[in-house]
Amino acid sequence: MSDYISHDHEDDGIDRRGFLHCMAWAGTGLLWTISGGVLASKTLAQIAKAGEPLPTTDLSFLQISDSHIGFSKEANKDVTATFRIALDRINAMPTPPSFLIHTGDISQLSKPEEFDTFDEVLKSCRTKDVFYVPGEHDVLDGSGKLYRERYLKSLEGKGSGWYSFNKNGVHFIGLVNVLNLQTGGLGQLGDEQLEWLEADVKDLGSSTPIVVFAHIPLWAVYPEWGWGTNDSERALGYLKRFGSVTVLNGHIHQVLQKVEGNVTFHSAMSTAFPQPAPGTAPSPGPMKVPAEKLRSMLGLTSVQYLQGRSSLAVVDSNLS
Amino acid sequence: MTKLTQKNKRTALLCGISFLNLALFAIAGEMKDANGPGAATKNQIVIKDFHFTPQTLTVKSGEKITWINRDDEPHTVVSVEKQFKKSSALDTDQEFTTIAGAPGTYSYFCSVHPKMTGTIVVEK
């Protein structure tokens, strides 16, 4: 692709044509990239086959989401197998990602044996460094104690498990929006976490690239299905002054993207089962698709950061 | 299942008089698989497509209420004002039972998917 930007009124690295183009690709479940306004299209499988290295980057990491280990219904009777395929794809990448981010719903029912299976399968992954945020399926005990004991032990998790860290000049923030949910509401961050976030970014220079990751979308994807976070506006307010903010989430088991000023919102596919597009089914429950189609609707997301570029390259690839 | 004690009954009565909506359910939640053919349908709330049906159920005080999950997704039953013991996460075909306490209106929701809400109206 050679879709260099032609109209960039907001100087945000995205023009309308390019954005719509991306959306079209996303809609087909194929792979797409935005990097500093330059669009490119390649699947990880193609890259692996051709032995072609990814462009030289300052940092590359991989987002994996919604493994739902323990799920065994019609939509996918073997979620452990598809999770394993996702890890095989990571292992086949010519340049392994520096680390993984898991955006929640590791398990289906927060059972110790489900977490055990996940941990065991994950051992096959060449990339060992993994950062987690919980999904609502990981905290069904109401407090997320088991999740925190297992997945936050090497991090200085605050409150109910949020934290931040720096890698290669990029500031990463893992947020928890699946606890203490209120009747009739959406995902929620809560005052304590929001105050922590405000303090966490206060001393950072505005040119610091920010990556925020959380399970439930931090934008109103489809509130009727609970696909949004009540107090996300306040969180985004603290990030407004930064030149590059990438917000990654899971939960909705499909690729959706929105760009608002300097903020790119992106939701990843699941490795377990797809969910319907907003409003296209009676409920957001697991979507049954023909067996031969399933893997084309599962996948993972690769993210690259090149110093000096205004936005990060976000690349989705499916498991077919 | 726990019976109401005399003390609880008095408390419930007092609450009922003072605050109609703050009366207590008996603490009697239990959860089990419900595939048996004899499963009762009286006062049953079906959880399907992320909805409680019926959304409002009217029962008599002392009657049993049962929720059954027919989704491929876990759900919970949680009293908004903590007026009755919450369920644990109900997997597909699992059910949760509680006993209607003093007359009043009880709002509840699914703590996993809080858009899902329902109401129990308990009559004398």
Side-chain angles (χ1 to χ4, degrees):
Chain A
M1 301 300 291
S2 59
D3 291 322
Y4 284 85
I5 214 131
S6 51
H7 299 90
D8 191 8
H9 307 298
E10 295 182 6
D11 194 27
D12 59 5
I14 310 287
D15 69 355
R16 183 175 174 276
R17 189 170 65 99
F19 178 60
L20 290 174
H21 205 144
C22 289
M23 290 304 285
W25 283 341
T28 62
L30 291 174
L31 165 156
W32 50 273
T33 306
I34 299 175
S35 175
V38 183
L39 301 169
S41 167
K42 258 188 194 85
T43 66
L44 290 183
Q46 278 174 347
I47 292 164
K49 216 178 280 173
E52 190 184 326
L54 288 166
T56 311
T57 57
D58 295 310
L59 178 68
S60 80
F61 63 95
L62 207 124
Q63 180 192 5
I64 191 163
S65 199
D66 294 85
S67 319
H68 287 266
I69 299 299
F71 180 89
S72 59
K73 307 287 168 18
E74 281 299 315
N76 183 356
K77 294 192 169 183
D78 196 350
V79 297
T80 305
T82 46
F83 174 52
R84 197 171 275 126
I85 290 167
L87 298 182
D88 290 346
R89 289 295 165 84
I90 299 170
N91 290 338
M93 289 172 73
T95 313
S98 301
F99 57 90
L100 308 186
I101 282 179
H102 194 296
T103 42
D105 285 356
I106 297 163
S107 69
Q108 175 67 4
L109 294 170
S110 310
K111 289 181 178 170
E113 58 269 30
E114 295 173 344
F115 290 131
D116 285 346
T117 302
F118 176 89
D119 294 347
E120 193 54 41
V121 175
L122 187 66
K123 283 181 187 164
S124 72
C125 188
R126 275 202 300 169
T127 303
K128 298 298 178 194
D129 209 3
V130 189
F131 297 92
Y132 296 90
V133 285
E136 72 281 1
H137 284 254
D138 302 319
V139 296
L140 290 176
D141 58 352
S143 70
K145 187 169 173 284
L146 192 60
Y147 162 83
R148 284 204 307 279
E149 284 169 2
R150 287 195 179 227
Y151 298 104
L152 287 180
K153 54 181 177 276
S154 60
L155 289 163
E156 198 196 344
K158 309 281 183 186
S160 62
W162 53 83
Y163 56 87
S164 65
F165 60 93
N166 296 304
K167 291 264 188 192
N168 296 44
V170 180
H171 189 67
F172 289 82
I173 304 168
L175 298 179
V176 179
N177 58 358
V178 296
L179 283 167
N180 303 316
L181 305 185
Q182 304 299 309
T183 182
L186 307 170
Q188 181 166 289
L189 296 162
D191 287 342
E192 191 189 351
Q193 184 168 205
L194 286 162
E195 282 158 22
W196 169 83
L197 175 64
E198 184 178 21
D200 182 67
V201 299
K202 196 174 57 144
D203 296 328
L204 295 174
S206 297
S207 61
T208 308
I210 306 281
V211 174
V212 180
F213 56 105
H215 180 65
I216 298 177
L218 291 171
W219 47 300
V221 173
Y222 196 62
E224 292 85 343
W225 281 357
W227 290 0
T229 301
N230 285 328
D231 44 10
S232 60
E233 280 300 315
R234 199 173 136 196
L236 296 166
Y238 300 139
L239 304 174
K240 219 170 189 166
R241 68 185 173 87
F242 291 95
S244 167
V245 180
T246 305
V247 183
L248 306 173
N249 66 265
H251 188 57
I252 66 172
H253 297 213
Q254 61 196 288
V255 173
L256 280 180
Q257 160 128 343
K258 179 180 143 171
V259 180
E260 212 174 81
N262 294 331
V263 186
T264 300
F265 298 90
H266 184 88
S267 72
M269 282 180 272
S270 159
T271 64
F273 52 83
Q275 281 177 246
T280 60
S283 81
M287 186 163 76
K288 298 174 191 85
V289 296
E292 66 276 11
K293 211 182 161 197
L294 176 65
R295 276 166 57 176
S296 73
M297 301 182 82
L298 308 178
L300 24 83
T301 301
S302 174
V303 185
Q304 276 105 42
Y305 165 62
L306 278 165
Q307 221 163 26
R309 293 284 181 91
S310 64
S311 58
L312 279 67
V314 183
V315 180
D316 295 294
S317 62
N318 63 38
L319 300 185
S320 57
Chain B
M1 240 174 257
T2 316
K3 287 257 158 90
L4 277 179
T5 63
Q6 283 304 316
K7 194 181 170 193
N8 280 346
K9 274 185 186 165
R10 271 203 305 278
T11 310
L13 186 64
L14 283 171
C15 287
I17 292 164
S18 321
F19 312 97
L20 192 65
N21 291 339
L22 284 178
L24 298 172
F25 266 66
I27 298 170
E30 65 174 36
M31 192 189 87
K32 62 177 181 177
D33 279 325
N35 289 318
T41 51
K42 197 192 175 206
N43 295 340
Q44 189 184 66
I45 296 162
V46 176
I47 307 173
K48 179 72 185 156
D49 287 336
F50 290 59
H51 285 98
F52 295 107
T53 307
Q55 199 176 32
T56 299
L57 178 71
T58 303
V59 299
K60 298 255 184 279
S61 182
E63 284 182 344
K64 193 163 91 169
I65 306 163
T66 303
W67 285 261
I68 181 154
N69 182 15
R70 298 295 191 198
D71 268 345
D72 284 350
E73 177 77 7
H75 296 294
T76 64
V77 176
V78 178
S79 164
V80 174
E81 301 290 339
K82 299 186 173 67
Q83 290 164 307
F84 59 93
K85 192 182 171 186
K86 67 181 178 187
S87 76
S88 52
L90 307 175
D91 199 5
T92 309
D93 294 330
Q94 283 188 322
E95 65 176 42
F96 171 71
T97 299
T98 196
I99 301 289
T105 302
Y106 300 81
S107 299
Y108 67 90
F109 71 114
C110 167
S111 60
V112 189
H113 312 98
K115 279 278 171 189
M116 295 170 57
T117 59
T119 304
I120 302 291
V121 177
V122 180
E123 296 177 335
K124 262 187 194 171

